[in-house]
Amino acid sequence: MATNEEQTRWIVHGERLIYDNRWIRLGLVDVAIPDGERFEHHVVHLDRAAIAVVVDDQHRVLLMWRHRFLADRWGWELPGGLIDAGEDAMTTAAREVEEETGYRPKEIEHLITYQPMAGMVDSEHNLFLVRGAELVGSPTGEIEADLIEWVPMSEIPDMIARGDIWTSGTLIGLYAARDRLNGASA
């Protein structure tokens, strides 16, 4: 489908930083929309993230049962975290799997990269498929999860329907991994 991108393209004239720390950068961007109107638009910049879908040869996925304080809600999530400066996303995904679950990934491949809230938030998420993992110890660092379990992929649709899986990275990762494992490309 062909479109005339210039008819809907917003033009950025600059950005003014309002707040900045290790976790978040908030700015006001001077933009002009196609009809010529110009205004400031709030934007949030977050570090890039890497998330891993770890599957084994029994068609199970490694999940963590976690509480998210902001929503005051529990749910099953995939291991993942923020990409450190100078670190590539695949390295982060492998490191986070081991730190959060105690499992070391065997084979890892890129699944998909996406932006969860493209209108106002810049927060690139890189998802990876891990085929096989070896238990090398207990999770290290801060406590990330109450439970870490291998869950049959066949149970995932019911878990999503019940609301037990609800975060964007986990949902997108599981759907993309399912498609890749079933032969479709992401």
Side-chain angles (χ1 to χ4, degrees):
M1 173 169 48
T3 63
N4 185 349
E5 293 174 354
E6 295 308 312
Q7 290 181 0
T8 60
R9 183 182 187 129
W10 289 28
I11 305 300
V12 175
H13 296 284
E15 182 174 349
R16 180 168 49 96
L17 187 63
I18 296 174
Y19 179 79
D20 188 14
N21 74 12
R22 159 67 182 96
W23 302 103
I24 188 170
R25 215 171 77 234
L26 176 63
L28 277 174
V29 177
D30 177 10
V31 295
I33 57 177
D35 70 3
E37 181 183 356
R38 193 166 167 174
F39 55 92
E40 288 188 313
H41 195 292
H42 283 89
V43 294
V44 177
H45 300 279
L46 303 173
D47 286 345
R48 295 168 45 229
I51 301 167
V53 183
V54 182
V55 296
D56 66 8
D57 58 1
Q58 298 174 44
H59 303 303
R60 298 179 305 173
V61 63
L62 188 61
L63 294 175
M64 305 181 319
W65 181 249
R66 299 188 68 175
H67 179 259
R68 292 297 182 175
F69 77 92
L70 192 56
D72 192 18
R73 190 167 169 189
W74 290 88
W76 290 102
E77 294 184 14
L78 297 168
L82 299 178
I83 300 170
D84 290 339
E87 186 175 48
D88 71 82
M90 188 177 290
T91 301
T92 300
R95 175 178 51 78
E96 290 289 337
V97 169
E98 190 167 335
E99 287 178 3
E100 293 183 352
T101 69
Y103 283 88
R104 181 170 295 146
K106 291 183 178 177
E107 297 175 31
I108 187 167
E109 64 188 78
H110 181 259
L111 268 176
I112 192 168
T113 298
Y114 74 99
Q115 288 276 354
M117 292 183 60
M120 292 177 59
V121 180
D122 176 19
S123 177
E124 181 181 280
H125 283 52
N126 301 267
L127 285 105
F128 296 89
L129 175 61
V130 173
R131 297 174 196 254
E134 173 188 8
L135 183 61
V136 294
S138 297
T140 59
E142 65 185 71
I143 306 247
E144 297 278 348
D146 275 20
L147 296 169
I148 299 168
E149 290 188 9
W150 288 98
V151 176
M153 291 289 279
S154 61
E155 292 181 19
I156 298 300
D158 288 339
M159 294 168 75
I160 292 169
R162 284 194 309 269
D164 291 339
I165 296 173
W166 58 275
T167 60
S168 67
T170 299
L171 288 165
I172 292 169
L174 290 169
Y175 285 129
R178 179 199 62 195
D179 288 350
R180 177 75 53 89
L181 293 168
N182 290 335
S185 61

